[in-house]
Amino acid sequence: MLDMPAIRRRGATVAVALLAAASLLTAPAVAQPAADPAGAYVDHVEERTARDWVLHVYSPSMDRVIPVEVIRPADTSAARPTFYLLNGAGGGEDAANWRDQTDVREFFDGRNVNVVTPVGGAFAYYTDWIRDDPKLGRHRWATFLTSELPPVVDAVLGADGRNAVAGMSMSGSSVLSLAQQSPGLYEAVASYSGCAQTSSDPGRSYVEAVVTLGGGDVENMWGPIGGPGWIANDAALNAEKLRGTTLYISSGGGLPGPHEAALGGQVDPVDLAVLGSIEAATAQCTEGLRRTFDELGIEATFSTGAQGTHSWGYWQDALHESWPILAEAIGA
């Protein structure tokens, strides 16, 4: 999952960056164009199986085609809701993704929901960058995810327009901001091991470290550090915009738990320390968000505890635990 020797070589800065970085045969293509008012359209569809598709969606804002993995509902005789499930810092471009690291396909077998996961956006925080980056390129992910993609998904998949979104690590921060920027788009949001406080430390330091890890210039994303762009994307400062949305927020406390125990002592102590320290930091963010919600009287379900490191076994657990809450909100 993580290149721990590389972490040790790069030292503590990379350990902080991994707050988000922990998350990185086809049948012939079938043309199925569908356009939305913003000009996005499906370039082609790969049908791996009847329920496992890849939509290749042209994004006008990024001027490129984005692969979008889809798990189709078990029963497509009626319109179904959509669950957008975002990857972490690798953007699904590496092996650290939901499909390779969890039971997501088996878990949604028999469930009547479209599960939609874009591939791309490594180190980009699934946000709109104010300018193109020499290393990371053009990123307008908030526009793509909230304006361009949903109408195309609804049209091509015959979805019913009811949506939920979830993310882990880097995208665990992003999903809260996406919901704030597009009121009414998502009935429910789940954040696993994210950090909402992106304009103040420690969250600001995490964002800087993650983007730098990818070789990008963080000021190309939201402008001068601590400036208006950072404040606008701070989900804690903008928490009022989440009122009325079904919310699930989870984080471990950093101590080894059942997933480490299952490995029978085969976890490298240094690896364990790094993953534990990252999750302890997200726990700090989560408790801060809980206090903010309590002060504002915003309802949310929090799932926290002393055990749990920054790793896929716990994100799979969080997905399983949060799903009944999300499913009820979207009628899945």
Side-chain angles (χ1 to χ4, degrees):
M1 170 174 45
L2 298 175
D3 182 358
M4 300 310 303
I7 293 171
R8 291 194 288 270
R9 286 195 299 272
R10 294 187 180 97
T13 299
V14 174
V16 174
L18 284 169
L19 171 69
S23 83
L24 233 11
L25 58 108
T26 297
V30 178
Q32 190 170 353
D36 77 354
Y41 61 88
V42 174
D43 181 77
H44 64 281
V45 179
E46 299 174 24
E47 295 190 29
R48 295 166 169 167
T49 69
R51 295 192 59 214
D52 187 1
W53 293 11
V54 181
L55 308 182
H56 292 261
V57 180
Y58 174 73
S59 165
S61 63
M62 291 189 278
D63 192 24
R64 64 179 185 267
V65 174
I66 308 296
V68 179
E69 297 181 328
V70 177
I71 301 172
R72 297 284 282 133
D75 180 0
T76 57
S77 63
R80 304 299 183 185
T82 302
F83 177 42
Y84 292 90
L85 183 61
L86 304 187
N87 285 304
E93 299 172 26
D94 56 11
N97 61 68
W98 283 103
R99 287 196 170 212
D100 289 343
Q101 301 296 332
T102 73
D103 67 352
V104 64
R105 280 172 285 192
E106 294 80 5
F107 181 72
F108 285 100
D109 187 32
R111 301 182 191 273
N112 285 316
V113 63
N114 296 287
V115 182
V116 174
T117 301
V119 178
F123 307 106
Y125 265 87
Y126 290 113
T127 189
D128 282 359
W129 288 47
I130 63 171
R131 52 183 168 264
D132 296 353
D133 187 83
K135 174 67 175 180
L136 296 179
R138 175 171 298 178
H139 292 292
R140 303 289 188 274
W141 285 96
T143 295
F144 179 70
L145 290 169
T146 65
S147 298
E148 296 173 352
L149 184 60
V152 172
V153 163
D154 289 352
V156 174
L157 303 182
D160 67 7
R162 303 187 69 184
N163 306 306
V165 64
M168 37 66 64
S169 195
M170 180 188 81
S171 65
S173 305
S174 305
V175 293
L176 296 168
S177 183
L178 289 170
Q180 291 169 339
Q181 293 173 41
S182 298
L185 177 60
Y186 307 111
E187 277 80 9
V189 180
S191 171
Y192 316 132
S193 300
C195 186
Q197 299 90 335
T198 54
S199 71
S200 61
D201 284 328
R204 179 171 57 197
S205 295
Y206 302 153
V207 174
E208 292 181 63
V210 168
V211 174
T212 300
L213 184 65
D217 181 346
V218 73
E219 294 200 355
N220 288 331
M221 185 167 73
W222 293 331
I225 295 171
W230 290 70
I231 293 171
N233 285 278
D234 187 311
L237 290 180
N238 296 282
E240 183 63 41
K241 296 179 181 179
L242 295 171
R243 187 182 300 276
T245 304
T246 297
L247 301 167
Y248 174 96
I249 317 292
S250 70
S251 176
L255 295 179
H259 292 290
E260 288 77 23
L263 296 176
Q266 299 177 29
V267 181
D268 185 294
V270 176
D271 298 358
L272 187 59
V274 170
L275 297 177
S277 65
I278 295 170
E279 194 67 8
T282 70
Q284 178 184 351
C285 294
T286 299
E287 289 307 314
L289 188 61
R290 189 202 299 265
R291 289 193 296 272
T292 297
F293 283 175
D294 286 347
E295 290 168 3
L296 295 174
I298 295 174
E299 294 186 7
T301 298
F302 282 84
S303 179
T304 59
Q307 292 185 334
T309 61
H310 204 71
S311 51
W312 283 100
Y314 297 102
W315 297 325
Q316 176 176 288
D317 291 347
L319 172 62
H320 290 188
E321 183 179 284
S322 64
W323 178 246
I325 296 170
L326 304 176
E328 181 178 3
I330 59 176

